[in-house]
Amino acid sequence: MKNTMLLIFMSIISLLACNDSKTQQSPELSKSIERGSIVYEDFCMQCHLPDGKGVPKAFPPLDNADFLMNKRKESIRAIKFGLSGKIMVNGETYNAAMAPLGLTDEEVADVMNYITNSWSNKNSKMITVDEVSKVQP
């Protein structure tokens, strides 16, 4: 009996230790993130790098980026329509232009879901195609 209880206890601890945010994502969000990773690889990785750290003084980080995580509409707008002018990310000023990428609203939503749930970023509120469609220049 003692060994059985210990085995059950150890199994529960193992399951809890392996339980990360991805296991709690909806299937819809998981699929969006998967599609978004392809968009990121094709359109974003060259400037923001595979680790989302960006290039200091040139291209802002996406990993642990206050602008991305706190300015959701502005971040969607930048991906959807491009960006010019100064922005502040994690206390640093960036002033490089980002050309419009020509992405569909679904691709914008997918890549936003990917970058807001990658590296050290965690976003529990899924970005939807409807939300993206409402963002104007």
Side-chain angles (χ1 to χ4, degrees), residues 42-113:
D42 289 346
F43 292 91
C44 314
M45 190 182 327
Q46 298 79 359
C47 297
H48 297 284
L49 305 181
D51 61 4
K53 299 287 186 203
V55 177
K57 309 281 185 217
F59 304 110
L62 300 174
D63 178 34
N64 196 29
D66 58 357
F67 185 92
L68 174 65
M69 300 307 290
N70 298 329
K71 296 187 177 201
R72 184 174 169 118
K73 189 174 182 177
E74 292 88 340
S75 296
I76 292 169
R77 185 177 293 114
I79 295 170
K80 188 172 177 177
F81 299 109
L83 179 69
S84 62
K86 293 180 182 179
I87 62 167
M88 184 74 69
V89 181
N90 298 343
E92 294 286 327
T93 301
Y94 292 86
N95 197 16
M98 181 172 123
L101 303 173
L103 301 176
T104 66
D105 287 350
E106 182 178 36
E107 290 169 323
V108 173
D110 290 342
V111 78
M112 277 292 294
N113 284 317

Side-chain angles (χ1 to χ4, degrees), residues 32-46:
S32 177
I33 290 169
E34 188 176 320
R35 291 187 306 266
S37 70
I38 296 166
V39 175
Y40 184 82
E41 187 175 313
D42 289 346
F43 292 91
C44 314
M45 190 182 327
Q46 298 79 359

